[in-house]
Amino acid sequence: CMGLVVAPGGLGTCDELFEVITLMQTGKIKRKLPVILIGKKFWQDCIQWEAFVEYGMISEADANQLIFVDTADEAFKALTDGILAIEEAEKRNPRSPQRRTVNGK
């Protein structure tokens, strides 16, 4: 998995979203994957992300990994930018496990 793009949805969608975020938070997924949520208003109205931070349930870093967009073009750009940033970070950190890159190198 190189990233997660989530469109507005119900409880099942939220379950899957929280599962991936939890796996990253607990280190079961080693990479900090880009998590893109399509529909800024929907996601910010339905889930009060800052309340999780204020109550100490998640860190500011956890909340900041969420990228809110409104269009498919914005989601694609956020996803590709996020993947490229991960790959650059892994190149700078030789202890990172080697992974196939977007460019296949």
Side-chain angles (χ1 to χ4, degrees):
C1 180
M2 298 294 286
L4 180 67
V5 178
V6 185
L11 296 177
T13 300
C14 290
D15 179 50
E16 296 299 324
L17 170 62
F18 286 134
E19 180 71 20
V20 170
I21 293 171
T22 300
L23 291 172
M24 284 192 294
Q25 186 183 48
T26 59
K28 302 260 193 255
I29 295 177
K30 303 296 182 204
R31 285 181 158 184
K32 290 295 183 191
L33 305 173
V35 177
I36 296 103
L37 304 177
I38 300 175
K40 290 178 192 177
K41 183 168 175 24
F42 173 84
W43 289 109
Q44 292 170 342
D45 284 354
C46 291
I47 301 174
Q48 299 299 311
W49 302 99
E50 280 304 311
F52 283 106
V53 175
E54 291 168 12
Y55 283 94
M57 300 296 112
I58 64 173
S59 69
E60 190 74 36
D62 290 330
N64 289 339
Q65 77 184 11
L66 303 172
I67 303 164
F68 298 92
V69 300
D70 283 318
T71 68
D73 287 338
E74 291 172 334
F76 182 76
K77 181 172 180 358
L79 180 62
T80 55
D81 288 351
I83 291 169
L84 292 173
I86 290 167
E87 290 175 351
E88 286 302 315
E90 288 176 350
K91 285 179 188 175
R92 288 190 302 271
N93 182 1
R95 295 186 321 184
S96 267
Q98 291 294 329
R99 291 176 167 79
R100 199 175 109 237
T101 65
V102 169
N103 297 327
K105 297 177 183 174

